[in-house]
Amino acid sequence: MTHPGRHPYQEIADALLADIQAGRYGQKDLLPSENELADRYGVTTLTARNALKALVNAGIIRSERAKGYYVRFYDRQIVNTSLTGGGREVGAQVEVRIMEPPAYVAELLPGVTEVVRRRAIGGAVKDSFYPRELTSLVPALGGSAPIVEPPDHILLAEAGIVIAEQDADVVGRMPTSEEAALLGLGAGTPVLEQTTALVDEDGQVRAVRVSLYAGDRYKLRFKLRG
């Protein structure tokens, strides 16, 4: 079965992947256990375990404690990413912190040395960064109470700062260990990171939003206007 230069666990992982791709295992079907694979291929349970771990890390299968391994299937919730697509802090745990802006935020807010970060933790991790001087105009931005109604861009408009457009970038990447813990991610699960600059009528970025979603639970929906 083995090929030169390839470890036996890689060969077992490839064989199991071929069975999955051929449809031999459905969403609720339990995959072979470590012991079953060890007996089938005449290897140690450690080798069989490494084969299963390789598929977990690749995002092909998932492990359920005290049950076993299953094929990973995706049923993603749609997230409306427009400016008015829903309250960022509705039903979330909110943490407020005054800090130096992270490098990727500082690039969008040149000259800003201190920001208020509002972190909403729920199904996703949503950070909103506001230059600290905005809190004197909009005190709610610096408060610990969730901003539900009206949302932040309406509060800014009421203070004379009208958000005219939003510039968004979305990337897929692997999470840090902190992000994986915050989102409750299993091994091999990527995240979708959306960074949005809120731009006023004069073309100045007034705030930055960064949203982090579990890549196996969500898909982002944009509505473009020509």
Side-chain angles (χ1 to χ4, degrees), residues 120-144:
I121 304 174
V125 176
K126 300 181 180 180
D127 290 335
S128 299
F129 297 91
Y130 307 98
R132 194 176 180 188
E133 60 267 21
L134 283 186
T135 60
S136 62
L137 295 173
V138 186
L141 298 180
S144 59

Side-chain angles (χ1 to χ4, degrees), residues 83 153 161-167 197-204 206 225:
L83 189 62
H153 67 283
I161 301 172
V162 177
I163 301 302
E165 63 180 55
Q166 55 178 338
D167 298 332
L198 304 188
V199 185
D200 67 16
E201 294 175 306
D202 296 323
Q204 180 182 353
R206 305 308 298 262
R225 296 178 179 176

Side-chain angles (χ1 to χ4, degrees), residues 41-112:
Y41 294 106
V43 297
T44 65
T45 55
L46 176 60
T47 296
R49 184 179 307 130
N50 287 337
L52 291 165
K53 283 185 176 179
L55 294 178
V56 169
N57 292 335
I60 307 294
I61 66 176
R62 58 185 174 84
S63 173
E64 288 193 15
R65 186 180 297 274
K67 291 185 178 181
Y69 295 87
Y70 297 84
V71 179
R72 174 175 280 183
F73 286 83
Y74 300 98
D75 183 15
R76 295 180 175 91
Q77 178 181 340
I78 296 173
V79 177
N80 182 353
T81 63
S82 68
L83 189 62
T84 57
R88 290 171 63 79
E89 299 182 4
V90 174
Q93 172 189 342
V94 177
E95 300 174 355
V96 181
R97 177 183 172 190
I98 298 172
M99 60 187 291
E100 181 180 342
Y104 60 94
V105 174
E107 290 181 5
L108 296 170
L109 296 170
V112 174

